[in-house]
Amino acid sequence: MTSDVLRQFTRRPPPKGERCDLCGEPLPSEHRHLVDTSRRSLKCACPHCHLLFTRPGAGQGRFRAVPDRYLSDPGFVLDEAGWNRLQIPVALAFFFRNSELGRLAAFYPSPAGATESELDPRTWDAVLGRSRLVELLEPDVEALLLHRGRDGSVTCTLVPVDVCYELVGRMRLHWKGFDGGSEARADIAEFLERITAAARPPDPETGSDPETAPEPEPEPETETGTAPDPEPEAEAGSAVASTRPGPSATPAEPPPPAEPGGPAPSTGGAP
């Protein structure tokens, strides 16, 4: 036997659990994701691989890091006639901008998975154009989540796209009978509460969470015609806080969302 063959018997088995789809590193139950834009699917990613693809153009644009920001639009109003124009048979729907098609794509969760709406996209643009979040939406990796309450009010929240597929997975797991059953309704209610708690109104200029956005460093005060004192400048360096809102701590990265806790979304493929 050669040393290579012997090494196969002495090698320790890989740890159980999910692993990074790019580098193979073990992953915790709560981890980040990448969108494979060529296959329209989600990839599980370790922190290093996720950070790598936050840079514009990384990997020739095939993989895009899913952000972790959650933004709300308190001023969004959609009456019953507007909701009916969407022709969504359930009280939940999510919309994301497909970069390949160059338009919004609409889906709603169902016991069979994510179901695509066949409605004319121009109707979605007309209805969703009332929200300021449309302009902030990052293609492929973020979605607008619409929820219609029992009182008829509709909320619009900008969320990471993997959160929408987490919702789809929850419905497939818990749905029973015609109306889903009490377990499914309670699970979806808890899910929506977490989304609402994580969302913040966007900053008018940057679209980030104003509570976590870094404050600009003050300019050193100088007298006219004199140079600033170099010693205060040397002491002024400080770490810049992450501009991403959310419930979990993640490496600082360029804005645009923290991923809420809960089971990881299905990675079998996004439309």
Side-chain angles (χ1 to χ4, degrees), residues 91-147:
L92 286 166
F94 60 94
F95 302 76
F96 71 89
R97 195 175 301 280
N98 187 314
S99 59
E100 289 189 0
L101 299 178
R103 62 171 175 81
L104 284 174
F107 296 85
Y108 56 89
S110 72
T115 303
E116 184 171 6
S117 172
E118 300 295 335
L119 189 64
D120 185 349
R122 289 176 296 182
T123 302
W124 308 330
D125 292 334
V127 174
L128 295 178
R130 307 174 187 181
S131 174
R132 59 190 297 199
L133 300 180
V134 174
E135 297 180 356
L136 302 176
L137 188 66
E138 289 290 330
D140 303 311
V141 295
E142 292 182 321
L144 295 181
L145 180 65
L146 264 63
H147 173 239

Side-chain angles (χ1 to χ4, degrees), residues 11 50 79 82-83 136 139 145 147-148 151 174 198 202 204 210 217 245 255:
R11 185 180 301 152
H50 184 272
D79 57 20
W83 178 265
L136 302 176
L145 180 65
H147 173 239
R148 188 169 189 254
D151 60 354
H174 299 292
E217 296 185 11

